[in-house]
Amino acid sequence: METKQIAKILKAPAPHMVGDGFRVHNFFPGGYEIDMSPFFLMDYGSKIDFSARKEPRGVGVHPHRGFETVTIAYHGSVAHHDSTGNSGVIYPGDVQWMTAASGILHKEYHEESYSLKGGPFQMVQLWVNLPAKDKMSKPKYQAIKQSEMAHFDLTDQGGKIEVIAGKYNGIAGSASTFTPIELYNARLNEGGKATFNFPEKYNTGFMVIEGKVKIGDREIASADHFVYFGNTGEHIVLEALSKSIVLILSGEPINEPIVQYGPFLMNTQAEITQAIEDYNQGRFGYIEE
């Protein structure tokens, strides 16, 4: 089986704040011009210490339409509410998979007990595009607790692969997706090895959350770097040079036009205009600030 070649190893772009609670490095589409469809956006919140605060930091009410947000917690905890009545808390290791689709209002902020204590905070948020036929489907929400997450134990106490979506070595993740997506957390002990096989046409990237890893025979990537693969070959070998966490992303591209305007991700400008009108007319529901 042919090895999938690395196209680039990308360092974290300069950070910016989203609201007052999320300091993020936007790897794509803003930081680097790389094609990761069906993943449209990746904001990586590298580890930072927030001071204790009585009033939780966060992001106020904002709309979404035409895609899904996937939030993966590594340190800290986030509470959220949306206009369909869903709410919850994402603790370290948990995943929130929110399908905005036809449109919702949403807010997210540091969970109260974390905010009162402060401490390390580290997250990833992905925007997953939806195919045109599903963009106006009904919103939904999937809460994936780490304690309930399917995983595959590697040999020789090498660690484990947590399967969020897709399937690894016969172990299926619980997240339902609209297009084929493989999304895992590789939690590797020093010396641990894992192999991955993704179709050649899938867009693939590895986000190194913690530690240092070797990919293939010689390429080294350390924490806060994104490994972007080309669309040749299928086979990848990952080895941890120290205790590491790597977010694995791979998916079948959605080959449709994209028009983005702020929190709306549609196929045509007319659909963006309609989204703005629907939002202004209150058709996304209501949520308290």
Side-chain angles (χ1 to χ4, degrees), residues 68 70 97 99 130 140-142 144 164-166 173-179 181:
E68 304 179 286
V70 180
W97 198 299
T99 304
L130 291 173
K140 66 175 183 176
Y141 169 75
Q142 301 174 78
I144 307 170
I164 301 166
S174 61
S176 65
T177 65
F178 288 82
T179 59
I181 287 173

Side-chain angles (χ1 to χ4, degrees), residues 65-66 102 129-136 256-261 264-279 284:
R65 173 178 279 182
S102 62
N129 191 21
L130 291 173
K133 66 182 181 62
D134 297 313
K135 281 189 178 292
M136 293 299 288
E256 296 174 350
I258 290 179
V259 180
Q260 182 207 1
Y261 179 80
F264 306 133
L265 191 61
M266 304 303 290
N267 298 103
T268 67
Q269 186 58 49
E271 290 170 339
I272 293 292
T273 301
Q274 185 65 54
I276 295 169
E277 181 182 335
D278 289 347
Y279 171 62
F284 282 49

Side-chain angles (χ1 to χ4, degrees), residues 183-202:
L183 187 63
Y184 325 137
N185 268 321
R187 297 181 182 270
L188 305 178
N189 297 320
E190 184 175 349
K193 283 188 178 182
T195 60
F196 303 91
N197 295 292
F198 301 122
E200 193 169 68
K201 67 178 180 178
Y202 278 28

Side-chain angles (χ1 to χ4, degrees), residues 7-270:
K8 301 171 183 175
I9 297 178
L10 305 169
K11 68 178 182 179
H16 67 275
M17 293 299 295
V18 178
D20 67 355
F22 303 94
R23 188 199 68 168
V24 301
H25 310 265
N26 179 249
F27 274 88
F28 57 87
Y32 296 99
E33 292 183 1
I34 57 176
D35 184 4
M36 279 297 296
S37 176
F39 307 101
F40 176 78
L41 173 149
M42 185 177 76
D43 275 343
Y44 168 58
S46 61
K47 194 183 295 184
I48 182 175
D49 278 311
F50 280 105
S51 58
R53 183 168 161 174
K54 186 176 290 187
E55 186 68 27
R57 300 172 176 89
V59 182
V61 176
H62 56 281
H64 291 303
R65 173 178 279 182
F67 63 100
E68 304 179 286
T69 65
V70 180
T71 305
I72 306 163
Y74 296 97
H75 292 280
S77 51
V78 175
H80 66 94
H81 288 82
D82 69 39
S83 55
T84 68
N86 285 314
S87 64
V89 177
I90 316 157
Y91 295 101
D94 296 346
V95 176
Q96 173 206 323
W97 198 299
M98 185 182 73
T99 304
S102 62
I104 62 169
L105 302 179
H106 187 236
K107 63 178 181 178
E108 49 205 328
Y109 41 91
H110 295 181
E111 182 268 331
E112 187 177 4
S113 63
Y114 166 77
S115 186
L116 289 171
K117 293 183 299 182
F121 194 87
Q122 188 178 26
M123 302 265 165
V124 169
Q125 186 170 93
L126 303 166
W127 287 15
V128 179
N129 191 21
L130 291 173
K133 66 182 181 62
D134 297 313
K135 281 189 178 292
M136 293 299 288
S137 58
K138 185 179 178 180
K140 66 175 183 176
Y141 169 75
Q142 301 174 78
I144 307 170
K145 296 291 185 184
Q146 187 182 36
S147 59
E148 302 166 357
M149 198 176 291
H151 68 273
F152 178 86
D153 291 316
L154 299 168
T155 59
D156 301 321
Q157 297 184 324
K160 65 181 178 180
I161 308 297
E162 294 176 342
V163 186
I164 301 166
K167 187 178 285 188
Y168 182 82
N169 275 11
I171 304 294
S174 61
S176 65
T177 65
F178 288 82
T179 59
I181 287 173
E182 305 293 327
L183 187 63
Y184 325 137
N185 268 321
R187 297 181 182 270
L188 305 178
N189 297 320
E190 184 175 349
K193 283 188 178 182
T195 60
F196 303 91
N197 295 292
F198 301 122
E200 193 169 68
K201 67 178 180 178
Y202 278 28
N203 291 322
T204 301
F206 289 5
M207 183 69 229
V208 185
I209 305 294
E210 288 185 12
K212 181 182 286 189
V213 295
K214 182 167 72 171
I215 298 114
D217 295 330
R218 55 190 174 84
E219 295 282 1
I220 307 293
S222 55
D224 304 340
H225 286 72
F226 185 75
V227 182
Y228 177 57
F229 293 87
N231 294 108
T232 58
E234 299 178 350
H235 187 65
I236 304 170
V237 178
L238 178 67
E239 179 182 355
L241 302 179
S242 62
K243 191 170 184 177
S244 300
I245 301 173
V246 183
L247 178 64
I248 311 294
L249 303 86
S250 190
E252 183 177 64
I254 299 172
N255 294 314
E256 296 174 350
I258 290 179
V259 180
Q260 182 207 1
Y261 179 80
F264 306 133
L265 191 61
M266 304 303 290
N267 298 103
T268 67
Q269 186 58 49

